[in-house]
Amino acid sequence: MINYSLVLSIFYSGKAWVLNGDTYEGLDWFDSDLKPTKEELDSKYIEAINISKKDNCENQAKTLIANSDWSVLPDVNLQNKSEFEKYRSILRNLILNPVENPVFPNEPNPIWSK
């Protein structure tokens, strides 16, 4: 089943429309541009899924990197700071170059300096 809400929100976010239910027949089009056909929307579904997956990858990587910000503060003395730097580098790459099926690294366990 096609997720028309996903397709419309990605490719027609600036247009005036309302989707009542989850079928093409429930699409009310209020924009001055022509209403896209069912075939047009159907043909964009796979691309919309892939864009959504990349957006999810980027958002998850942003969350993970924000949760590890503490590890690189100057007053934090970790013996394994370089592991956190490597971890954050991988996350930064996923933010800049999101992928459809990401493999997120595990956050290192902090080893505190005395």
Side-chain angles (χ1 to χ4, degrees):
M1 174 177 244
I2 302 293
N3 183 339
Y4 290 105
S5 179
L6 176 67
V7 175
L8 290 163
S9 64
I10 289 176
F11 294 106
Y12 300 93
S13 63
K15 305 297 180 185
W17 55 269
V18 173
L19 186 61
N20 301 298
D22 55 6
T23 65
Y24 179 81
E25 291 71 28
L27 176 59
D28 292 329
W29 193 260
F30 304 107
D31 202 82
S32 59
D33 288 345
L34 289 177
K35 178 180 177 180
T37 66
K38 182 179 186 311
E39 293 74 24
E40 287 172 323
L41 296 181
D42 290 355
S43 71
K44 293 182 178 191
Y45 182 56
I46 298 298
E47 185 180 358
I49 289 173
N50 294 336
I51 289 169
S52 178
K53 286 180 178 181
K54 287 182 178 183
D55 287 346
N56 290 339
C57 169
E58 180 180 348
N59 291 333
Q60 180 66 24
K62 284 180 179 179
T63 297
L64 292 172
I65 204 166
N67 290 342
S68 67
D69 281 349
W70 64 270
S71 68
V72 292
L73 293 173
D75 63 338
V76 173
N77 290 324
L78 294 173
Q79 290 180 9
N80 60 337
K81 194 171 221 164
S82 64
E83 290 178 35
F84 279 91
E85 290 168 347
K86 180 179 177 185
Y87 168 75
R88 291 171 55 83
S89 175
I90 293 167
L91 294 175
R92 244 186 322 279
N93 187 51
L94 288 171
I95 292 168
L96 297 172
N97 305 295
V99 295
E100 294 166 15
N101 298 304
V103 176
F104 292 100
N106 293 320
E107 182 175 353
N109 291 319
I111 301 171
W112 299 98
S113 297
K114 295 182 181 185

